[in-house]
Amino acid sequence: MAVSTSRRTKFVLDEDRIPRAWYNIAADLPTPPPPPLHPGTHQPIGPDDLAPLFPMALILQEVSSEREIEIPEPVRDAYALYRPSPLHRAHRLEQALDTPAHIYYKYEGVSPAGSHKPNTAIAQAFYNKQEGTRRIATETGAGQWGSALAFAGALFGIEVKVYQVRASYDQKPYRRMLMETYGAEVVASPSLTTNYGRSVLSRDPDSPGSLGIAISEAVEDAATRDDTKYSLGSVLNHVLLHQTVIGLETIEQMELAGEEPDVLIGCAGGGSNFAGFSFPWIGRMLRGEARYRVIAAEPEAAPSLTRGIYAYDFGDTGKMAPIVKMHTLGSDFIPEPIHAGGLRYHGMSPLVSLLKDQGVIEATSVHQRASFEAGVAFARAEGILPAPEPTHAIKVAIDEALAAKEAGEPRVILFNLCGHGHFDLSAYERHLSGALEDYEYPEAKVQAALAGLPQI
Ligand SMILES: Cc1ncc(COP(=O)(O)O)c(C=O)c1O
């Protein structure tokens, strides 16, 4: 706990400090992660099984155990549109909480699409372009990932088709308009354009959709067209890898601030911003160089890390995507339509799940009203309106700052502010008017979904 007395607010790096390589945590894990399995045969899958869906460069990154993977120059060049992103010291939030803690946040909302998602969208679009892909299909929960891929598709000249979860399609029309402005085609999921979407709608015409359903639709789209690949905005190893630019920059910026964190916090839906922010720090822990508390913050309505089980499960509801070992609530589980759409996922990335299982990281769950309260307190102190997803991390950061006050200790708290909430104002309006509801943990629905786990 080295405590700085400086009053500086922003720690910024020059463009030439954009990382030159991504950090691959697989190199530092004590045991290799359990292999992904084929959804039909339940046997470990190889690169050829994934080739219809992803370009080979990404498949090789998915299984790589090299510690550093070079970032191609065209990707760094596109990163320069918004990277390095700033690190802020939250002086005003500290004052409002009257805490001796020092609170820092890495701000990823400065990207053109408004979140961390372009860090991998740009890389995925680049490798697809390099291998001749003409069109990419994807899902989006909050609309943030769809916006990011639509933006990246525009940069590299690739058509993008987005299956946007129905709940978020209805809650966030401006996200759809942003995607369309970048040139993407957007449909609400479940949709009538895929076999899987039609089958869901025939059972439940009013389905609010879910990330699991939208993933199945996008996978089906890519698997049934020669000119199309699939792209995922979270969960997979290569996505987490690309996001490590967040943590790599943050390490340098904390050196500028002259402090070492005691606690690192990120929200976790599929795990990509949490991992990108924390893995470079966790690498130090795994190599025995440092010790931090690292906390994943998830919604009470979809608490895969805190209440799910660690087992092999399908990544999508239609059971078309590979089976992976992860913390899961069951692939049939459809979370309630909370406003943090990006956190409405039944599973968690296998790498984050493994670290939780091994006790390297902690996890905690937060109700949506408490997270919006934290988001409003943060906006009133720091000025930035957070996306609903990172308000979960803010709530945990505030609790940690209050615990530091209680203990009378100047702990250093660092969290990832992974996106802004400018397209989420209707959710803030509902919160401010008292109309937002909390959803209790749906134990019975989860038990029913867990009964459908594949027998491995
Ligand atoms: C702003 C924001 N934060 C967090 C998430 C959750 O995804 P992940 O856990 O992969 O960071 C999303 C997903 O859409 C998002 O848009």
Side-chain angles (χ1 to χ4, degrees), residues 115-117 142 144 233-234 267-273 342-343 387 389-390 418-419:
S115 78
H116 63 294
K117 297 284 180 180
Q144 293 265 22
S234 188
C267 69
S272 77
N273 89 84
L343 307 184
E389 291 82 5
C418 57

Side-chain angles (χ1 to χ4, degrees), residues 25-306:
I25 200 167
D28 289 318
L29 290 175
T31 51
L37 307 179
H38 191 283
T41 64
H42 295 188
Q43 295 303 308
I45 49 174
D48 290 345
D49 294 311
L50 294 173
L53 294 181
F54 302 104
M56 198 43 76
L58 294 176
I59 295 172
L60 295 178
Q61 289 180 359
E62 191 63 23
V63 295
S64 168
S65 54
E66 271 177 42
R67 181 171 286 117
E68 292 197 339
I69 295 181
E70 194 183 329
I71 304 177
E73 262 322 299
V75 173
R76 285 188 79 235
D77 193 54
Y79 278 171
L81 288 168
Y82 63 98
R83 303 214 71 83
S85 65
L87 176 79
H88 291 234
R89 168 100 183 258
H91 290 293
R92 287 174 174 76
L93 181 64
E94 291 168 17
Q95 270 158 14
L97 298 172
D98 189 25
T99 174
H102 289 190
I103 307 174
Y104 291 85
Y105 56 94
K106 176 74 164 164
Y107 186 40
E108 290 292 306
V110 295
S111 84
S115 78
H116 63 294
K117 297 284 180 180
N119 298 333
T120 183
I122 290 169
Q124 293 192 44
F126 166 77
Y127 290 116
N128 269 289
K129 185 70 182 178
Q130 210 180 32
E131 295 185 28
T133 307
R134 204 184 61 73
R135 180 176 174 276
I136 299 179
T138 196
E139 74 294 324
T140 192
Q144 293 265 22
W145 166 243
S147 311
L149 194 69
F151 156 62
L155 290 185
F156 290 97
I158 298 179
E159 264 181 49
V160 174
K161 168 81 179 263
V162 182
Y163 293 85
Q164 182 172 12
V165 174
R166 164 63 70 183
S168 116
Y169 187 91
D170 293 339
Q171 283 162 359
K172 300 198 198 184
Y174 294 109
R175 271 281 162 205
R176 172 177 59 73
M177 290 172 212
L178 180 63
M179 290 184 261
E180 288 172 349
T181 303
Y182 285 133
E185 184 191 341
V186 186
V187 288
S189 166
S191 77
L192 291 170
T193 55
T194 63
N195 285 331
Y196 187 65
R198 284 189 290 274
S199 76
V200 174
L201 286 174
S202 69
R203 287 191 300 274
D204 179 7
D206 298 323
S207 169
S210 70
L211 272 171
I213 294 171
I215 292 172
S216 297
E217 289 208 88
V219 167
E220 181 185 324
D221 181 318
T224 52
R225 284 181 60 146
D226 283 345
D227 65 346
T228 301
K229 295 274 189 227
Y230 169 65
S231 168
L232 188 62
S234 188
V235 180
L236 297 177
N237 301 348
H238 66 266
V239 180
L240 276 51
L241 172 82
H242 301 152
Q243 293 293 355
T244 58
V245 288
I246 306 173
L248 292 167
E249 288 175 6
T250 309
I251 285 180
E252 261 195 57
Q253 289 164 310
M254 286 302 286
E255 275 164 21
L256 282 182
E259 304 219 67
E260 269 279 286
D262 295 295
V263 190
L264 293 113
I265 303 158
C267 69
S272 77
N273 89 84
F274 170 78
F277 167 69
S278 66
F279 279 9
W281 298 92
I282 293 176
R284 289 177 161 185
M285 289 167 64
L286 296 173
R287 296 191 298 273
E289 299 162 9
R291 179 94 213 111
Y292 313 105
R293 283 181 61 217
V294 185
I295 309 174
E298 59 180 12
E300 185 70 14
S304 55
L305 276 175
T306 46

Side-chain angles (χ1 to χ4, degrees), residues 322-357:
I323 305 177
V324 292
K325 188 148 186 201
M326 61 179 174
H327 280 82
T328 179
L329 300 164
S331 64
D332 292 330
F333 174 64
I334 298 183
E336 297 292 349
I338 52 168
H339 285 273
L343 307 184
R344 283 185 70 230
Y345 184 57
H346 68 270
M348 182 54 63
S349 109
L351 285 173
V352 172
S353 294
L354 181 68
L355 292 170
K356 171 69 172 48
D357 188 60

